[in-house]
Amino acid sequence: MITARNLTKRYGQTVVLDDVSVEIPRGGITAMIGPNGAGKSTLLSLVGRLLKADGGTVEIDGVPTNGMKQSEFAKKVAILRQDNHLAVRLTVEDLVTFGRYPHSQGRPTVQDRGHVEAALDYLELQDLRHRFLDELSGGQRQRAFVAMVLCQDTDYVLLDEPLASLDMRHAVAMMKRMRGVTEDLGKTVVIVLHDINFAASYADTIVAMRDGRVVQHAVVDEVMTPEALRAIYDVDVHVEQIGGKPIGVYYT
């Protein structure tokens, strides 16, 4: 379980995360949704230790993350940030292999190579493995970065808008793979999404944010209602359901 208590983040006088406390259960997919500037990426970055909080704490399975060595933390939590740009020229295979660094310390073993091959297969990247990242489309690069994160083989996988730059086919395939990661491999996926239809279709629980606060944290069925979504986004919507399960959200 990921436990955040009273997390606060400021930039100057601007509070971007305001005393946020949330518990993310182990297993399944937790989607973070909300309008731009709600604090979703900031919360994810604080949990993933990409940013330092101005107040509050984070625990992973009951252990405070501020007391973990980086090498220990990197074996428990993998995070893909939104602005994943590299200054060096790498092939897809090189990038994915970086995911094994917490385990291999730069000296990949046969077992590490096995993880690399599995990640390349999982993200349909075998035919691109020797291509340089700057030769790929935005969607292909995004898949390569997700493969690197999965190759890290952590209990928790944090993804900040991984569907950015992906076309519909690859976006659907990505969410199906994340579903498989939780069901087949027992991992916990926390994912920032802008498309609430993907959240409705694939998530187990939803953390809805607005103005730097968590306004709702519940199972999908409780969040995907016209009333709840209006409170989050200030828009009127219609929620299509089959058998009581939300399958689509339409703006009215």
Side-chain angles (χ1 to χ4, degrees):
M1 176 182 290
I2 297 173
T3 304
R5 293 191 179 94
N6 308 113
L7 283 182
T8 300
K9 183 64 180 177
R10 302 182 186 87
Y11 293 106
Q13 298 301 312
T14 302
V15 178
V16 294
L17 208 66
D18 189 6
D19 196 32
V20 167
S21 295
V22 66
E23 289 187 347
I24 296 174
R26 191 178 179 96
I29 296 176
T30 294
M32 292 184 177
I33 66 170
N36 291 338
K40 307 179 297 297
S41 295
T42 300
L43 177 56
L44 198 77
S45 294
L46 292 178
V47 171
R49 299 213 313 190
L50 296 181
L51 293 175
K52 185 175 181 180
D54 293 311
T57 60
V58 176
E59 294 180 359
I60 303 292
D61 295 333
V63 180
T65 59
N66 60 6
M68 288 185 179
K69 295 180 179 178
Q70 184 57 35
S71 58
E72 177 187 1
F73 181 81
K75 292 179 181 179
K76 292 283 291 181
V77 179
I79 182 168
L80 178 64
R81 60 192 304 164
Q82 191 174 350
D83 53 339
N84 46 29
H85 301 294
L86 294 176
V88 294
R89 199 163 190 245
L90 296 174
T91 65
V92 170
E93 183 176 355
D94 290 337
L95 177 68
V96 176
T97 302
F98 273 149
R100 296 304 300 165
Y101 188 84
H103 305 272
S104 70
Q105 299 299 305
R107 300 176 182 176
T109 64
V110 172
Q111 183 180 16
D112 293 319
R113 293 296 180 189
H115 281 283
V116 172
E117 294 301 320
L120 291 171
D121 286 339
Y122 208 61
L123 274 298
E124 300 179 7
L125 292 167
Q126 286 288 1
D127 59 336
L128 299 174
R129 64 186 303 155
H130 300 304
R131 294 269 297 275
F132 288 98
L133 295 178
D134 59 5
E135 298 172 346
L136 305 181
S137 70
Q140 290 170 333
R141 281 196 300 273
Q142 189 77 336
R143 284 158 52 205
F145 276 99
V146 172
M148 177 191 68
V149 169
L150 292 183
C151 195
Q152 199 170 325
D153 191 28
T154 55
D155 293 334
Y156 297 91
V157 178
L158 315 182
L159 304 172
D160 192 358
E161 297 190 43
L163 306 187
S165 303
L166 298 185
D167 58 30
M168 182 60 70
R169 182 179 83 83
H170 284 107
V172 170
M174 180 70 73
M175 292 307 299
K176 287 182 176 178
R177 290 186 182 99
M178 293 305 106
R179 186 80 259 163
V181 163
T182 64
E183 294 176 352
D184 302 333
L185 305 179
K187 298 186 184 302
T188 302
V189 174
V190 185
I191 182 169
V192 174
L193 292 174
H194 270 296
D195 191 323
I196 56 178
N197 282 297
F198 279 116
S201 298
Y202 294 99
D204 299 291
T205 60
I206 291 179
V207 174
M209 300 187 68
R210 178 171 176 165
D211 299 327
R213 294 174 176 265
V214 173
V215 295
Q216 193 156 5
H217 181 198
V219 295
V220 172
D221 295 2
E222 294 181 18
V223 179
M224 290 299 161
T225 68
E227 297 77 17
L229 292 173
R230 187 183 303 115
I232 298 166
Y233 292 102
D234 272 339
V235 294
D236 291 322
V237 299
H238 170 73
V239 179
E240 190 73 21
Q241 296 185 338
I242 292 181
K245 300 289 291 183
I247 61 167
V249 178
Y250 307 93
Y251 299 99
T252 60

